[in-house]
Amino acid sequence: MSSIAELEKKIKILESELERERSKNERGRQKIAHMSSEVVDTNPYSRLMALKRMGIVDNYERIRDFAVAVVGVGGVGSVAAEMLTRCGIGKLLLFDYDKVELANMNRLFYQPHQAGLSKVEAAERTLKEINPDVEFEIYNYNITTVDNFQHFMDRISKGGLKECTPVDLVLSCVDNFEARMAINTACNELGQKWIESGVSENAVSGHIQFIIPGETSCFACAPPLVVATHTDEKTLKREGVCAASLPTTMAIVAGFLVQNTLKYLLHFGNVAYYLGYNALEDFFPTMVMKPNPQCDDNYCRQQQAEFQKREAAKPKQVVEERKEEAVTHDDNDWGIELVSETTEEESRLAEGDTPHLTEGVKFAYTKPVQSAQNDSGVTVEKTDQSLEELMQQMKGL
Ligand SMILES: [Zn+2]
């Protein structure tokens, strides 16, 4: 084949590819100025607006008035961002420094042809195609470096739907404690509400936690052991051992996260403060955790003081006491009794300043004492006696 014929053949192939791409773009939908509840096949919002008719949400269109920041657009964050986009959220701010890799393909959202692209860029392209009504801001950086942290603070405090207003909610979908602590620090300082999310390394459990600075426990109030002991988590990464992940668990946690976001923003149902998921047992613990007055985070303690002040200034509500009738069982032929499974040690740890824990949930550890010195004041006096003599004395007691 002559080189001209080869070139002509190549041009034909390229032309047909261009045609395909063009028709793809033409098929994409145009922006929609007003959300309508009209039930027609061409209305992308008809099923969402039906929530109004069903009496679940008073004013679904309000979804367009909100801006949400998603920090980390990996297995959980990308799916959460897609859900919010399909729901018609007003604006999304996406933060991530990673690139799409083929090793991510066990999860939802990203596709093999996007490998090598930055996650935020790939996400924005896909999401804009799904819903061009949503406004996007993307940042391809690590929020934990000093300069980026300042910029991150600036965007969550000024990147709302109207410039110079804060975002309505921050969703943490990061995979390391350092980034969680950075979000925690920023949100405590700004008084910004946020929802933390996490999936375990073995891929079979996860949780979400709604954090209202000063009102509910922050990430530093009851820190994971790695944070409490000031361990550098990078030293925990074992060579050649990679964390497991399942698309199922990640999508369930993303679903919890966005469901809670919708309930909070659109005022329906009960907003969860902590919702856990244990896939092996199908166990979903929920609870509310109060902030720790001795939290390491200075801004958390300040927010707690301000919250207490606001609460004290509120007019007192008279709560009518409801008397519960004592349950009596007349016939208990078999003498069945309920026995607590909690040990005395466990219930002692769950008392006092420590937050109240829901049934089935227990503390993994108690916070280590900062100083290595024994400051209890009780010391054993120095003695010249040998160990054998001391043992002899103990036996004689
Ligand atoms: Zn705190």
Side-chain angles (χ1 to χ4, degrees):
M1 216 193 293
S2 74
S3 60
I4 292 178
E6 258 176 42
L7 279 173
E8 278 177 345
K9 197 178 160 199
K10 215 170 195 176
I11 288 171
K12 272 216 170 92
I13 294 170
L14 289 171
E15 272 177 348
S16 70
E17 265 179 22
L18 186 67
E19 194 54 41
R20 257 207 319 272
E21 282 303 310
R22 275 194 183 138
S23 68
K24 230 196 246 175
N25 284 343
E26 275 161 20
R27 279 204 308 269
R29 77 163 170 88
Q30 300 298 304
K31 286 192 179 197
I32 294 172
H34 298 286
M35 271 191 179
S36 126
S37 52
E38 199 188 353
V39 186
V40 285
D41 293 347
T42 51
N43 180 5
Y45 297 117
S46 58
R47 308 277 173 160
L48 294 163
M49 294 292 277
L51 286 165
K52 254 165 99 169
R53 241 188 348 267
M54 297 289 167
I56 301 296
V57 179
D58 284 341
N59 190 356
Y60 189 85
E61 300 97 301
R62 278 205 66 207
I63 191 88
R64 286 195 157 185
D65 301 340
F66 301 114
V68 174
V70 180
V71 190
V73 282
V76 174
S78 63
V79 178
E82 179 176 344
M83 286 174 176
L84 287 167
T85 301
R86 290 184 187 273
C87 285
I89 193 85
K91 181 177 177 182
L92 280 180
L93 295 89
L94 310 178
F95 298 83
D96 202 306
Y97 64 92
D98 239 353
K99 281 189 162 61
V100 179
E101 287 165 359
L102 288 177
N104 302 142
M105 295 307 140
N106 68 319
R107 303 160 185 181
L108 306 184
F109 192 71
Y110 293 111
Q111 295 183 26
H113 70 85
Q114 293 170 316
L117 279 177
S118 80
K119 283 185 178 170
V120 285
E121 209 182 314
E124 187 191 26
R125 277 190 209 170
T126 308
L127 298 175
K128 267 187 169 165
E129 227 166 84
I130 293 171
N131 189 345
D133 299 331
V134 182
E135 211 181 296
F136 289 93
E137 255 184 50
I138 58 167
Y139 298 102
N140 183 24
Y141 61 54
N142 179 352
I143 62 156
T144 63
T145 68
V146 178
D147 289 349
N148 293 341
F149 181 73
Q150 276 313 317
H151 188 265
F152 169 67
M153 289 257 290
D154 191 67
R155 288 326 293 153
I156 59 174
S157 57
K158 298 192 186 111
L161 214 54
K162 284 192 198 110
E163 187 59 27
C164 289
T165 60
V167 298
D168 296 283
L169 198 63
V170 174
L171 303 183
S172 161
C173 308
V174 295
D175 63 355
N176 63 85
F177 294 123
E178 196 189 1
R180 282 189 180 91
M181 284 300 276
I183 299 168
N184 190 57
T185 307
C187 291
N188 273 339
E189 186 172 340
L190 299 167
Q192 171 67 54
K193 292 174 185 174
W194 63 292
I195 312 181
E196 146 40 28
S197 74
V199 175
S200 65
E201 239 186 7
N202 65 4
V204 286
S205 66
H207 74 275
I208 61 160
Q209 187 183 343
F210 188 26
I211 298 174
I212 306 173
E215 197 177 326
T216 66
S217 166
C218 87
F219 190 70
C221 280
L225 192 58
V226 183
V227 179
T229 51
H230 302 285
T231 309
D232 181 358
E233 62 176 313
K234 288 184 194 100
T235 61
L236 299 176
K237 292 244 158 73
R238 287 156 289 170
E239 196 71 37
V241 177
C242 101
S245 76
L246 277 171
T248 44
T249 311
M250 293 210 158
I252 288 166
V253 171
F256 279 167
L257 194 58
V258 177
Q259 195 80 293
N260 217 37
T261 301
L262 294 175
K263 290 201 285 184
Y264 166 68
L265 295 175
L266 299 173
H267 304 292
F268 67 97
N270 293 323
V271 177
Y273 287 95
Y274 177 96
L275 172 57
Y277 171 50
N278 175 335
L280 300 182
E281 308 287 334
D282 280 334
F283 177 52
F284 303 84
T286 60
M287 61 180 157
V288 185
M289 290 204 288
K290 285 201 178 124
N292 177 0
Q294 276 106 42
C295 179
D296 278 348
D297 190 307
N298 190 18
Y299 286 108
C300 175
R301 296 195 308 272
Q302 271 182 36
Q303 295 285 358
Q304 289 183 44
E306 277 163 36
F307 173 70
Q308 297 299 342
K309 249 189 255 166
R310 285 198 302 274
E311 283 299 288
K314 274 186 190 168
K316 287 243 172 352
Q317 276 184 339
V318 185
V319 183
E320 219 178 287
E321 230 179 276
R322 257 182 41 208
K323 272 192 190 148
E324 242 173 72
E325 278 179 37
V327 183
T328 49
H329 298 280
D330 295 332
D331 42 359
N332 187 2
D333 299 340
W334 305 94
I336 295 167
E337 288 176 41
L338 287 176
V339 179
S340 170
E341 285 181 7
T342 317
T343 64
E344 268 179 36
E345 176 69 1
E346 281 167 350
S347 55
R348 188 184 59 77
L349 289 174
E351 276 169 7
D353 281 344
T354 48
H356 173 73
L357 294 181
T358 195
E359 195 186 334
V361 176
K362 61 180 182 190
F363 288 103
Y365 65 94
T366 48
K367 198 180 170 193
V369 182
Q370 291 277 323
S371 116
Q373 273 181 337
N374 181 356
D375 53 5
S376 64
V378 184
T379 48
V380 180
E381 272 177 42
K382 263 195 182 169
T383 170
D384 293 330
Q385 285 167 305
S386 72
L387 185 64
E388 284 76 25
E389 284 169 329
L390 286 167
M391 292 291 280
Q392 216 45 54
Q393 272 183 24
M394 268 180 70
K395 273 185 194 159
L397 283 173

